[in-house]
């Protein structure tokens, strides 16, 4: 099993910004690099799994006609709704139901390593079935996660399982990497 709901709720027990996203120069630069990794200047509909408090969404909302964020933690979603009031935010724990939508952009920012191998396979299946033509952006922490899967291990497992998109590393630093996956893989 990947990281449990209790662990995620514990991260937000004292604050709606446990990683300091809002004021961290490092995090803000990473959000800008994430936006720069996109292949288009605009999208019909974006979905971010594990949207947290909405700080990355704040950098993307102006280029998305519609934005949907999903997180398991109510505290994070309350903050996200305040940060990006024009976004749509739903509560959900993955693996589990994903929101409906014809998304052409999927954001998986530092979320894959919270899953286990079965969860990664399920996510790849869900995406291949529902959004095979979507662009996917994966942001991956390269340091120790403290979770059963490390970041690059989770990314590699996910990329190998998802056959409808082709992955390319767009940005890599000592701390993180950003991969873009575009439609065109073998089905």
């Amino acid at each position: 099993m990947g990281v449990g709901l209790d662990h995620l709720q514990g991260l937000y027990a004292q604050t709606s910004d446990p990683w300091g996203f809002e004021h961290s120069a490092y995090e803000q630069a990473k959000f800008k690099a994430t936006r720069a990794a996109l292949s288009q200047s605009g999208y019909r509909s974006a979905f971010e799994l594990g949207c947290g408090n909405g700080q990355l969404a704040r950098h993307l909302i102006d280029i998305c006609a519609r934005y949907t964020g999903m997180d398991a933690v109510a505290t994070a979603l309350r903050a996200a709704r305040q940060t990006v009031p024009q976004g749509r935010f739903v509560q959900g724990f993955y693996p589990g139901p994903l929101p409906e939508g014809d998304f052409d952009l999927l954001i998986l920012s530092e979320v894959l390593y919270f899953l286990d191998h079965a969860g990664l396979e399920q996510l790849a299946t869900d995406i291949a079935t529902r959004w095979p033509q979507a662009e996917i952006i994966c942001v991956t922490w390269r340091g120790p996660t403290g979770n059963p899967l490390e970041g690059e291990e989770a990314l590699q497992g996910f990329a190998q399982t998802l056959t409808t998109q082709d992955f390319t590393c767009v940005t890599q630093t000592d701390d993180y990497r950003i991969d873009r996956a575009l439609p065109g893989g073998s089905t």
Side-chain angles (χ1 to χ4, degrees):
M1 178 176 168
V3 174
L5 181 57
D6 289 346
H7 175 76
L8 297 174
Q9 289 173 331
L11 293 171
Y12 285 91
Q14 302 298 317
T15 177
S16 65
D17 195 6
W19 292 281
F21 289 157
E22 186 175 0
H23 300 291
S24 165
Y26 163 80
E27 295 293 348
Q28 293 299 314
K30 184 171 55 175
F31 296 152
K32 288 177 184 166
T34 301
R35 181 175 168 140
L38 298 172
S39 71
Q40 300 177 43
S41 59
Y43 296 86
R44 283 186 330 275
S45 187
F47 169 59
E48 181 182 359
L49 177 62
C51 65
N53 59 13
Q55 290 299 314
L56 176 55
R58 190 169 58 86
H59 290 266
L60 303 174
I61 193 72
D62 66 314
I63 60 169
C64 301
R66 291 181 311 280
Y67 169 91
T68 301
M70 180 175 139
D71 203 278
V73 182
T75 302
L77 291 172
R78 279 191 296 276
R81 288 182 185 108
Q82 288 180 340
T83 302
V84 184
Q86 65 272 47
R88 174 179 167 241
F89 295 94
V90 296
Q91 189 166 0
F93 180 74
Y94 196 85
L98 292 171
E100 293 299 319
D102 184 22
F103 303 116
D104 59 341
L105 174 63
L106 306 176
I107 304 291
L108 305 172
S109 181
E110 299 195 54
V111 68
L112 294 176
Y113 54 80
F114 284 95
L115 301 173
D116 59 11
H117 290 291
L120 293 171
E121 289 177 16
Q122 183 61 55
L123 183 59
T125 298
D126 288 344
I127 290 171
T129 302
R130 295 176 64 186
W131 306 295
Q133 295 301 309
E135 177 175 335
I136 303 169
I137 296 293
C138 296
V139 182
T140 303
W141 169 247
R142 299 184 69 214
T145 65
N147 299 333
L149 292 178
E150 297 299 337
E152 289 181 294
E153 175 187 14
L155 174 65
Q156 181 181 16
F158 176 68
Q160 287 175 343
T161 306
L162 183 64
T163 59
T164 52
Q165 278 90 348
D166 293 322
F167 285 77
T168 303
C169 183
V170 179
T171 301
Q172 184 167 314
T173 72
D174 289 342
D175 296 322
Y176 67 87
R177 64 183 283 168
I178 300 173
D179 291 80
R180 179 176 56 224
L182 297 174
S186 59
T187 53

